[in-house]
């Protein structure tokens, strides 16, 4: 273990609710004109947002070792416990690889911190900024920002005011720039099962603190020992039936290290790049967001049969373990081939296994072992990564359903590599070198 993580203290109670999130950046037209949709190496990336320095300082931060953030599965994605403010307020957060900061519901509704319950259900957990004596408004350095559309609330405004406060996770405590929500529409009908979003998207050269993940800010401030974040998924049906490697939880997000004992063989490291098409076919934001752990997919196969990739825009593999990362990522054309190869037939589901727009198909449960594995290769290594048939066929009561998610049209242009891809794998993000590490999971 690289700095053995300490154990988180308690599980999270989860309630069912609605949508999910990401986002921020320059004009999509500017990026497309410059890069023409290709996955581009990181030195070409440009500064986004107001020019300012991170607020975190050594006097506001302290750290110990790394920490295993225990994750609980929810319909939105994985939830974990963080605290914000002084005294610390628990802010159960949706842990999101594709979001650019620490977002938190606050008391502010329509610009007024006294109108909280005009926007929120009375049992919605929030961060009460007025009760933290270390909360500081940072609007002079980082003006308020609104995204519409977005992937939190879609065509409702996602508006944030920037502030700084102390965030604590396990042994780590640091002053960070946070996104303090200013809610602009009615969410009184039902509470979300979380009060914030703990973003873990990569930080590119020139990005200021308004679009830096909270982990990155805390690592720069010295509150984490190493720039690594690692994940493994203790899914139902895995060989770890008791979920002991996740300390009884659904997943483990290790912060400040990765656990070498969970790596079988070697880690394969891949450089990430910019993929502007993500804001066209996947996560659509205005202003656009481009901070994603994106690899260049170089080969897609069903068994040994190679499938075509988009030649004009390239093919982006976007790592996202929230709800958009459910289902094996395939192109429309490759999905059609898989349907034929598995003798699948159409089915209408009240509760489908993923939120994609594609149709769903059932298969004969007795023939699943004969299906082809789905295979991927990424630029940087010849290593082939598989999703086995048992991991892309979802058992729903007495039905077996192809759990596939498609984006775009025709050949493969983009896909979200999350829960389904992550099964039996160990995934590491290096925030210093902007690399993704992949290995087989040593259960």
């Amino acid at each position: 273990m690289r700095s053995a993580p300490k154990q988180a203290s308690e599980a999270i109670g989860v309630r069912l609710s609605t949508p999910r999130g990401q986002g921020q950046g320059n004009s999509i037209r500017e990026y497309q004109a410059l890069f023409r949709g290709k996955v581009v190496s990181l030195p070409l990336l440009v500064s986004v947002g107001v020019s300012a320095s991170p607020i975190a300082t050594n006097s506001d931060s302290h750290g110990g070792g790394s920490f295993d953030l225990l994750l609980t599965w929810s319909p939105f994605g994985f939830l974990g416990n963080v605290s914000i403010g002084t005294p610390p307020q628990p802010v159960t957060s949706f842990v999101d690889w594709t979001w650019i900061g620490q977002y938190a519901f606050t008391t502010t509704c329509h610009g007024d911190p006294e109108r909280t319950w005009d926007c929120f259900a009375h049992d919605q957990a929030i961060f009460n900024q007025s009760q933290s004596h270390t909360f500081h408004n940072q609007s002079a350095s980082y003006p308020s920002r609104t995204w519409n559309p977005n992937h939190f609330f879609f065509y409702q405004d996602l508006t944030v005011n920037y502030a700084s406060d102390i965030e604590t996770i396990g042994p780590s405590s640091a002053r960070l720039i946070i996104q303090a929500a200013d809610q602009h529409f009615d969410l009184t009908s039902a509470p979300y099962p979380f009060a914030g979003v703990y973003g873990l998207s990569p930080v590119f050269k020139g990005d200021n603190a308004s679009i830096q993940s909270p982990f990155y800010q805390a690592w720069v401030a010295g509150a984490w020992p190493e720039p690594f974040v690692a994940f493994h998924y203790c899914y139902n049906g895995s060989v770890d039936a008791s979920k002991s490697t996740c300390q009884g939880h659904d997943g483990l997000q290790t912060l400040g290290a990765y656990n070498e004992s969970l790596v079988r063989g070697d880690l394969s490291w891949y450089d990430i790049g910019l993929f502007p098409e993500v804001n066209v076919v996947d996560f659509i934001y205005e202003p656009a967001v481009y901070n994603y752990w994106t690899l260049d997919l170089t080969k897609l196969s069903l068994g040994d049969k190679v499938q075509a990739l988009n030649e004009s825009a390239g093919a982006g593999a976007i790592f996202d373990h929230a709800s958009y990362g459910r289902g094996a990522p395939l192109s429309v054309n490759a999905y059609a081939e898989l349907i034929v190869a598995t003798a699948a037939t159409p089915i209408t589901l009240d509760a489908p296994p993923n939120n994609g727009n594609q149709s769903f198909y059932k298969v004969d449960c007795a023939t699943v072992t004969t299906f082809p594995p789905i295979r991927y290769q990424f630029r940087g290594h010849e290593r082939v990564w598989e999703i086995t048939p048992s991991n892309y066929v979802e058992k729903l009561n007495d039905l077996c359903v192809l759990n596939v998610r498609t984006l775009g049209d025709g050949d493969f242009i983009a896909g979200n590599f999350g829960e389904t891809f992550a099964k039996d794998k160990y995934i590491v993000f290096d925030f210093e070198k902007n690399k993704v590490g992949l290995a087989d999971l040593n259960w």
Side-chain angles (χ1 to χ4, degrees), residues 205-225:
K205 183 179 180 180
D207 288 349
N208 66 54
S210 72
I211 52 172
Q212 291 178 355
S213 77
F215 171 82
Y216 178 86
Q217 292 185 61
W219 170 67
V220 169
W224 293 113

Side-chain angles (χ1 to χ4, degrees), residues 39 270 295-301 306-310 314-317 375-385 412 417:
V39 176
Y270 301 87
L295 304 186
D296 192 350
L297 182 68
T298 56
K299 192 174 183 180
L300 168 66
S301 305
V306 177
Q307 305 297 304
L309 305 178
N310 187 291
R375 293 173 173 156
Y376 307 90
Q377 284 178 268
F378 308 112
R379 188 174 306 282
H381 283 281
E382 293 300 311
R383 172 69 196 265
V384 175
W385 301 97
F412 193 100
F417 287 67

